[in-house]
Amino acid sequence: GKSSAQVALRWTIQRGVTTNPHTLKENEMVENLNIFDFSLSHDDMDTIGSMERRHHYLRPDAWYGLPYWD
């Protein structure tokens, strides 16, 4: 199976969004790179895309005046 982090990273890649995962743990670095041996179905992409997305750990709106992204 794949971890939730791998699914989230794969979702961003399939949407054409550049992402920069950060970790200091070697096992997580390897996990983050192992997202190119699977793809998400259209239904999976739609399901993930329909989830509530107004929670961000990074706050570009507060730091730089940038709007939230969809």
Side-chain angles (χ1 to χ4, degrees):
K2 296 296 180 181
S3 70
S4 57
Q6 287 173 304
V7 171
L9 288 171
R10 184 65 204 189
W11 181 72
T12 61
I13 293 295
Q14 281 187 224
R15 291 179 59 228
V17 175
T18 302
T19 187
N20 186 17
H22 177 75
T23 183
L24 298 175
K25 299 176 183 176
E26 184 177 355
N27 66 308
E28 291 176 356
M29 289 179 199
V30 170
E31 182 179 281
N32 288 344
L33 291 172
N34 288 328
I35 62 168
F36 298 102
D37 61 347
F38 74 102
S39 62
L40 300 172
S41 70
H42 291 292
D43 287 343
D44 290 338
M45 293 291 291
D46 290 343
T47 298
I48 295 168
S50 70
M51 293 178 172
E52 175 61 43
R53 293 177 280 157
R54 294 308 253 165
H55 177 78
H56 296 275
Y57 290 103
L58 300 177
R59 299 298 309 261
D61 61 324
W63 297 343
Y64 306 110
L66 300 173
Y68 281 119
W69 52 89
D70 287 330

